[in-house]
Amino acid sequence: MDYFNYREQRLFAEDVAVEDIITEYGSPCYIYSKATLERHWHAFDSAFGKQAHLICYAVKANSNIAILNTLALLGSGFDIVSLGELERVLAAQSDPKKVVFSGVGKREDEIRAALKVGIRCFNIEVQGELDRINQIAGELGVIAPVSFRVNPDVDAKTHPYISTGLKENKFGIDIEGALDEYRRAAAMPHIEIVGIDCHIGSQLIETRPFLDALERVLKIVNALKAEGIVLHHLDLGGGLGICYNDETPPEPAEYVAALLKGLGDNNLEILLEPGRAISGNAGILVTKVEYLKPTEYKNFAIVDAAMNDLVRPSLYGSWQAIIPVQLGSKEPENEWDVVGPVCETGDFLGKDRRLALSQGDLLAIRSSGAYGFTMSSNYNSRPRIAEIMVDGDRMHLIRERESVAQLWAGEHLL
Ligand code: LLP
């Protein structure tokens, strides 16, 4: 459930008319609803009841510092994958003790920075990373808390680009080799083993693959226990899907209940790294129709947002709902391809959509709060667009629209 609804035919973000936001800040822009974001975070957090847990929001989904700060104030932890994300989380005034660091290619400077601020845990994904962390921790005179991200070889049944838990994927330590890595870590002077981790993919719409992964990870937990290596937490990653069209993913409560059942009487703190399920439906992308171009073969609605602003439809062929900001158009409905101005045939936001359109109309692309702005680029020298967060009847500019001059800031003539 989200807080983007029609009131008397006008689309509202909480208590603010979307049209008023565009009048103030221009088109195109991302609009987020604070209440929706908070609601989704609480849906995960409260599902755990008395079970020890930490929700570590996956920063890559939407990393605006106002979003991170909103979640930090609820008590959220964060899953990061780069120095940039670490610095963002710190700029958002969150507690480094609640930060887990994932990613297959952690550089020395990134590890050093994370050790200096005292993050909660490194999720190790490559053998060499363990040696590197041990060495840097030794140089700094600290003990590094680590967990291994194991690859459980489970089919997440999602788009191949966002499936990560199969043997052929680059992520995690092979599940067969995990015990050896834990033994190696246990013998290292600057390492403290704190947990185990897996993340099998994104936009999963059923619970089964999560439970299969959990079962396999628990086997390792128990094998380690038998050797005297006792883990404190189990991190099951992110990946719970959302409804873009007609998908029916489990609610966070249902998903967490299934996980807790699968966990049985194992006494472990549970960490989750949801991204999309928290921020996805808390955001829309609003764009204006610049031109209508009906042709013999196709009708094109050319809008002022493009694949550089929202790449998911072009990159994954993903479907996101496109709805009018103002209902009650007098134009007849027609099938439109909603396309941007970028010079690529793959630049589309939606195809064959039934809409009643006039030039100048505003459209909202729903479910754009995750992997929207964070995957945007300056392709075709298009400045990145503004981000606004609505809180009740107030709107806040949380990222200014880039200026044209910012496009080449840092570039130099010979
Ligand atoms: N943890 C790790 C280690 C991850 O790699 C990811 C996502 C997450 C957590 C959060 O997953 P979520 O709960 O958001 O599904 N750009 C793609 C999604 C890529 C996901 C990458 N990893 C998209 O737009 O669909």
Side-chain angles (χ1 to χ4, degrees):
M1 214 211 88
D2 62 57
Y3 294 94
F4 296 100
N5 294 303
Y6 289 103
R7 289 188 196 168
E8 289 163 12
Q9 311 223 311
R10 300 169 80 204
L11 185 65
F12 272 68
E14 300 190 20
D15 297 327
V16 184
V18 166
E19 226 171 8
D20 293 346
I21 301 174
I22 300 302
T23 304
E24 182 74 25
Y25 297 112
S27 168
C29 68
Y30 278 99
I31 300 175
Y32 309 120
S33 149
K34 182 167 181 261
T36 310
L37 197 66
E38 292 179 334
R39 182 191 166 96
H40 292 167
W41 188 88
H42 282 301
F44 279 96
D45 190 58
S46 57
F48 278 94
K50 290 203 172 66
Q51 161 73 39
H53 69 281
L54 182 63
I55 307 302
C56 296
Y57 168 73
V59 173
K60 62 172 81 69
N62 187 324
S63 55
N64 185 293
I65 60 169
I67 299 263
L68 303 181
N69 178 251
T70 299
L71 298 175
L73 289 173
L74 302 181
S76 189
F78 296 95
D79 168 50
I80 61 162
V81 291
S82 68
L83 178 63
E85 288 191 351
L86 174 64
E87 294 295 344
R88 277 184 176 277
V89 163
L90 297 174
Q93 299 166 0
S94 26
D95 179 0
K97 282 262 156 298
K98 292 184 180 173
V99 170
V100 299
F101 195 167
S102 304
V104 283
K106 300 179 192 77
R107 295 188 314 255
E108 277 185 22
D109 62 314
E110 294 179 311
I111 293 170
R112 202 173 291 276
L115 282 171
K116 280 189 181 156
V117 298
I119 63 161
R120 159 114 194 215
C121 181
F122 289 89
N123 290 335
I124 295 180
E125 303 211 23
V126 199
Q127 285 184 341
E129 188 186 331
L130 172 64
D131 303 275
R132 189 177 265 188
I133 293 176
N134 182 50
Q135 191 197 326
I136 298 172
E139 285 163 22
L140 294 175
V142 297
I143 302 287
V146 307
S147 115
F148 287 93
R149 172 173 176 180
V150 298
N151 184 334
D153 195 24
V154 162
D155 185 358
K157 298 200 173 67
T158 181
H159 191 289
Y161 283 13
I162 52 177
S163 178
T164 52
L166 282 172
K167 266 202 169 95
E168 61 258 38
N169 301 139
K170 71 177 172 184
F171 301 98
I173 305 262
D174 200 17
I175 196 147
E176 278 94 45
L179 283 179
D180 279 344
E181 282 308 297
Y182 271 101
R183 290 179 193 124
R184 230 160 57 78
M188 286 186 175
H190 307 293
I191 295 288
E192 182 194 6
I193 296 169
V194 292
I196 190 161
D197 166 48
C198 76
H199 169 80
I200 56 173
S202 197
Q203 184 55 14
L204 273 72
I205 50 173
E206 40 179 317
T207 327
R208 192 70 251 163
F210 290 114
L211 295 178
D212 290 345
L214 175 63
E215 201 181 305
R216 294 183 186 190
V217 170
L218 281 175
K219 278 195 186 131
I220 303 184
V221 172
N222 290 322
L224 287 170
K225 204 190 282 176
E227 294 191 20
I229 301 176
V230 179
L231 304 184
H232 172 264
H233 78 240
L234 190 159
D235 179 344
L236 264 172
L240 184 63
I242 61 172
C243 175
Y244 284 102
N245 187 5
D246 51 8
E247 306 89 337
T248 51
E251 291 291 322
E254 208 181 312
Y255 156 76
V256 170
L259 296 183
L260 293 184
K261 196 162 164 230
L263 184 67
D265 54 7
N266 283 284
N267 186 20
L268 292 158
E269 180 179 1
I270 300 298
L271 271 54
L272 291 181
E273 303 168 356
R276 187 191 320 262
I278 290 181
S279 61
N281 279 325
I284 58 174
L285 167 61
V286 179
T287 183
K288 189 174 83 191
V289 177
E290 291 286 350
Y291 299 101
L292 294 177
K293 186 176 180 180
T295 76
E296 217 176 299
Y297 305 101
K298 276 256 167 203
N299 298 320
F300 296 104
I302 304 166
V303 297
D304 62 359
M307 65 187 289
N308 72 296
D309 303 305
L310 178 70
V311 77
R312 302 191 68 260
S314 304
L315 187 58
Y316 313 113
S318 50
W319 193 98
Q320 294 187 211
I322 302 182
I323 59 171
V325 165
Q326 174 80 50
L327 292 173
S329 165
K330 293 193 177 64
E331 296 298 321
E333 271 198 359
N334 229 323
E335 300 252 313
W336 295 97
D337 276 13
V338 179
V339 301
V342 161
C343 307
E344 301 250 0
T345 303
D347 176 27
F348 64 91
L349 298 170
K351 287 191 171 167
D352 303 320
R353 303 304 174 89
R354 271 206 91 69
L355 291 161
L357 293 181
S358 313
Q359 193 170 347
D361 281 357
L362 293 173
L363 295 171
I365 297 141
R366 291 180 60 94
S367 314
S368 298
Y371 308 110
F373 188 90
T374 49
M375 293 180 80
S376 67
S377 76
N378 290 124
Y379 188 40
N380 276 206
S381 284
R382 292 167 51 84
R384 275 178 299 171
I385 65 180
E387 293 177 286
I388 289 102
M389 192 188 289
V390 172
D391 178 12
D393 59 4
R394 296 172 58 195
M395 45 181 157
H396 301 270
L397 179 65
I398 60 169
R399 192 180 210 274
E400 290 167 25
R401 189 177 302 281
E402 270 176 2
S403 67
V404 170
Q406 278 175 290
L407 287 175
W408 61 86
E411 294 181 18
H412 302 283
L413 300 178
L414 292 190

